[in-house]
Amino acid sequence: MKRIFLTFPMIALLTGCSSHGNVNDKAYLRAAAIDGDRVTFSFYSEEDKVISVNVRNPEKAKSAAELAMGKEIFTGHTELVVAGDCDILEVLDNMLHEWKVSPSCRVAEAKTSGEELLNSRSAEELADVIDTAHEKGLAPKCDIITVLSGLLGENELAEVAEFSDNGFCGVAEIKK
């Protein structure tokens, strides 16, 4: 009996039953916009405000945003990447392999600033607009895997949904 009472606390400690890594200790990324030297982050929680950092490299931008927020950013449920002035192939490859975004994460292009777009419209709304446009045949399937496949394919191009500052405005062709 004594052995059971001593074993239980050890099991609890070794299985991660602690306050470290709680859901509330993380910010869950819903969308990211990459505009040249600026990366903007939008989150699921309304407590976590849209934040922008002046760093060109997505991995360094994520670290800078985590420092500014005081929270780790979890990217596994990211729904949308809005590309502006950037090397789209490098950014999407980084998002998929380093940030570990979902392969179903949608990719869009911004006619104007992605930062302004994420500050004026909710990321949820933007993702829903892409899905609706795809269902109606107005936009192609533009998840990260499909877009990367197009960019790495023979033609080295892909089509994605395009947003103006007013919202969905059509389809953009992006090249490698």
Side-chain angles (χ1 to χ4, degrees), residues 106 121 123-135 139 161 163 167-169:
R106 298 157 198 84
R121 309 280 297 265
E124 178 182 19
E125 179 185 355
L126 295 171
D128 288 346
V129 166
I130 292 172
D131 292 343
T132 302
H134 176 67
E135 288 170 10
F163 288 104
F168 178 75
C169 68

Side-chain angles (χ1 to χ4, degrees), residues 15-118:
T15 58
C17 295
S18 70
S19 63
H20 182 69
N22 282 335
V23 170
N24 294 334
D25 295 339
K26 295 181 182 180
Y28 291 82
L29 185 66
R30 182 169 238 158
I34 295 85
D35 291 313
D37 291 339
R38 199 153 176 85
V39 180
T40 303
F41 299 84
S42 176
F43 302 93
Y44 281 90
S45 170
E46 290 184 18
E47 292 174 8
D48 297 320
K49 303 287 184 210
V50 173
I51 185 170
S52 296
V53 293
N54 289 322
V55 180
R56 186 170 195 87
N57 176 294
E59 195 59 38
K60 290 180 181 177
K62 181 176 169 268
S63 295
E66 287 173 335
L67 285 173
M69 295 178 70
K71 291 182 177 182
E72 178 183 349
I73 296 175
F74 180 76
T75 57
H77 298 298
T78 305
E79 294 181 331
L80 177 64
V81 172
V82 179
D85 176 29
C86 64
D87 178 345
I88 189 70
L89 184 59
E90 180 183 332
V91 166
L92 294 181
D93 184 60
N94 186 287
M95 297 277 182
L96 188 62
H97 293 102
E98 301 301 323
W99 283 21
K100 308 281 190 225
V101 300
S102 168
S104 63
C105 177
R106 298 157 198 84
V107 179
E109 186 172 88
K111 257 188 165 180
T112 60
S113 164
E115 177 181 11
E116 289 176 23
L117 187 64
L118 290 179

